[in-house]
Amino acid sequence: MEKEIKKNWQFSQSPLEVWEYLTQAELLEQWLMKCDFQPVVGHKFRFVGGCDHGGDEKAAAHCEVLELKPHTRVSYSWQAVSALDNQPFDSTVIWTLTPKGSGTALELLHTGFRAVEDVATHNDGWTRLSHKMVELLSAVEK
């Protein structure tokens, strides 16, 4: 069983513009979930709602910023409730930005899954939510 999720995107926008959609709470909320994210290592925050859960507290992901390299990499812990046994599990989300010409290559790596059900659920969520991010970034002027 694959225990990680890896996704890649190419944007015509600069790493700075893509970075803003990964590190500014008001922009994260437009495509991901309601959150109290701050780009500070050690900051504990939550994503609340999930893809189909509105403001459901049970769908919250409890997180902590682990790494922050401006315009290059941000990672955070991600504790959510497992679809398998309804128990919390810990995983890690890593976003890596690489300049490509005048644009940006973006990679998502989400690791630390214990159950195939959680990989499937999170993979579906990242796929659906990332479509919103792509739409928002595509509307940003180069």
Side-chain angles (χ1 to χ4, degrees):
M1 174 191 91
E2 197 61 39
K3 297 225 178 167
E4 68 180 31
I5 297 167
K6 190 172 191 177
K7 296 193 174 294
N8 293 282
W9 300 270
Q10 298 289 325
F11 294 102
S12 58
Q13 290 72 23
S14 70
L16 171 62
E17 291 167 305
V18 176
W19 179 256
E20 290 173 348
Y21 279 84
L22 300 174
T23 60
Q24 291 184 11
E26 63 276 5
L27 295 176
L28 278 165
E29 289 181 7
Q30 289 181 25
W31 69 271
L32 187 52
M33 287 182 258
K34 183 172 175 49
C35 67
D36 55 343
F37 179 87
Q38 291 180 21
V40 176
V41 171
H43 175 68
K44 294 181 180 179
F45 65 100
R46 293 179 318 147
F47 284 113
V48 180
C51 295
D52 300 317
H53 303 287
D56 182 0
E57 185 65 26
K58 290 178 83 174
H62 298 268
C63 307
E64 180 178 346
V65 178
L66 302 174
E67 181 182 18
L68 198 67
K69 292 182 181 174
H71 315 143
T72 305
R73 186 176 169 107
V74 60
S75 69
Y76 37 87
S77 62
W78 180 282
Q79 184 186 73
V81 174
S82 176
L84 177 65
D85 57 12
N86 211 31
Q87 295 299 309
F89 73 95
D90 296 314
S91 59
T92 303
V93 173
I94 303 166
W95 294 98
T96 304
L97 297 84
T98 306
K100 291 288 182 188
S102 62
T104 306
L106 176 63
E107 178 183 272
L108 163 68
L109 181 61
H110 192 162
T111 65
F113 295 100
R114 295 177 298 149
V116 68
E117 292 87 350
D118 295 322
V119 174
T121 300
H122 282 80
N123 186 57
D124 180 58
W126 285 121
T127 298
R128 288 190 283 146
L129 293 169
S130 67
H131 289 304
K132 293 179 189 175
M133 177 182 60
V134 169
E135 287 175 19
L136 290 165
L137 273 162
S138 295
V140 173
E141 294 286 325
K142 278 183 29 175

